[in-house]
Amino acid sequence: MLEVRGLCKHFGGIRAVDQCSFTVERGSITALIGPNGAGKTTAFNCISKTLRPTSGEVWLKGERIDAMRPHQVTRRGLSRTFQISRNLEDLTVLENLVVQSRVPNWRALFGPAIAPWEREKAMEILDFLNITRLAHEETRSLSYGQKKLMDFGALLMSDPEMILLDEPAGGVNPRLLEEIVDRIRALNARGLTVLIVEHNMDLVMRLSHKVVVMAHGQVIAEGTPEEVQADPLVLEAYLGGAQKEPAVQAVGAVVHG
Ligand code: ATP
């Protein structure tokens, strides 16, 4: 579904992503993990075209997408969420779903505020996420976790074939987290391919078919959750580079059973 080949992103002298290569198989849930500063978010941004890579290639369904504009990538079936919600606080949840899914163009200025088909589609998605009751709530009144669910909903408005989720578990309470996990699994069961950046190791190991581990901008390990947990390079990357991170303890716990 997705192939990243020799991806590089440099900020001045910093090689945030440095010759990074990995693949995401169609229909899989793949996690991108690594200690703080490993380059995960930068790689993510290059894939979704929020950032322009310094060099390297990104292929989606056999088509090269690294020179495309973000909306062209979305049209080809790839959508993403952001670590920090980018919603419009004054709008309702329903309105946010519709507005965020639109590619801005002059026609939108003259169209109806919300077309009937948009309303219907947004309501179907809210129903799927079990948050129909929030449809007409102002976004500012939602909890952090509910906003994440809403962002997830906005993502689905473009009928993606593949989604990139940036820390979906970050700051979410455990009950809501289980709901998010459950919905990701349900979407994956329908054929959606998922790439996820996440620090919650328990979640990563439970959810993923494949885990790609980054450190210092490069991929240092790749395999099933069991394989990467048994890889000494992975533990060393966490312990060597970031001893104070909570994720270190989590990886350690997982690695040592
Ligand atoms: P975290 O888990 O903490 O979010 P990460 O693995 O996502 O980390 P990145 O945020 O991609 O890592 O950062 C990789 C490196 O690139 C870090 O050294 C970071 O300081 C640097 N970096 C990221 N964005 C920029 C930028 N816009 N300008 C300069 N340096 C940057």
Side-chain angles (χ1 to χ4, degrees):
M1 186 76 184
L2 184 84
E3 188 176 353
V4 176
R5 291 187 198 156
L7 190 70
C8 296
K9 179 68 189 176
H10 301 166
F11 297 105
I14 299 171
R15 290 165 181 259
V17 176
D18 188 19
Q19 290 296 334
C20 172
S21 300
F22 65 91
T23 54
V24 177
E25 282 67 35
R26 187 185 286 273
S28 72
I29 301 178
T30 300
L32 195 55
I33 68 166
N36 283 336
K40 308 177 293 292
T41 303
T42 306
F44 226 58
N45 289 342
C46 289
I47 295 168
S48 66
K49 295 313 315 293
T50 317
L51 277 178
R52 180 183 281 271
T54 304
S55 60
E57 299 177 7
V58 182
W59 294 73
L60 178 73
K61 296 185 290 179
E63 190 179 9
R64 197 167 162 186
I65 61 166
D66 48 84
M68 289 181 187
R69 298 174 68 83
H71 70 272
Q72 293 176 308
V73 173
T74 308
R75 249 189 237 134
R76 280 163 178 79
L78 183 76
S79 290
R80 67 164 295 176
T81 60
F82 290 86
Q83 223 170 76
I84 299 177
S85 187
R86 294 190 162 190
N87 49 62
L88 301 159
E89 297 272 302
D90 289 335
L91 300 187
T92 66
V93 170
L94 178 75
E95 288 164 343
N96 253 302
L97 251 63
V98 172
V99 169
Q100 288 187 40
S101 69
R102 285 180 178 164
V103 175
N105 63 36
W106 64 268
R107 278 191 194 86
L109 291 174
F110 301 103
I114 295 182
W117 70 267
E118 287 176 316
R119 177 182 300 274
E120 197 175 317
K121 186 167 187 180
M123 289 307 289
E124 264 173 35
I125 290 170
L126 293 177
D127 188 42
F128 169 74
L129 295 174
N130 296 322
I131 51 171
T132 310
R133 66 187 186 287
L134 300 179
H136 303 292
E137 293 287 329
E138 265 192 14
T139 303
R140 68 172 76 252
S141 68
L142 302 186
S143 73
Y144 188 74
Q146 286 171 329
K147 281 183 188 163
K148 289 229 162 185
L149 264 179
M150 188 188 74
D151 291 346
F152 197 24
L155 188 75
L156 301 178
M157 286 290 288
S158 64
D159 292 323
E161 287 179 64
M162 177 170 184
I163 55 173
L164 308 184
L165 302 176
D166 199 355
E167 298 203 21
V172 177
N173 77 50
R175 190 190 54 77
L176 211 51
L177 180 59
E178 284 313 308
E179 269 183 46
I180 292 177
V181 168
D182 183 63
R183 295 299 80 190
I184 294 173
R185 283 215 178 98
L187 286 165
N188 178 246
R190 292 183 187 178
L192 192 74
T193 306
V194 182
L195 177 64
I196 180 170
V197 165
E198 184 50 65
H199 279 290
N200 181 328
M201 289 303 153
D202 174 53
L203 177 98
V204 164
M205 299 305 170
R206 277 196 295 141
L207 197 58
S208 318
H209 302 114
K210 174 173 161 181
V211 181
V212 177
V213 188
M214 283 184 77
H216 308 296
Q218 297 184 324
V219 173
I220 57 158
E222 177 169 9
T224 63
E226 293 72 27
E227 283 165 351
V228 297
Q229 283 167 48
D231 191 329
L233 271 181
V234 175
L235 194 57
E236 193 192 309
Y238 275 91
L239 290 174
Q243 292 186 0
K244 293 187 189 107
E245 271 191 73
V248 173
Q249 294 144 19
V251 169
V254 177
V255 169
H256 296 302

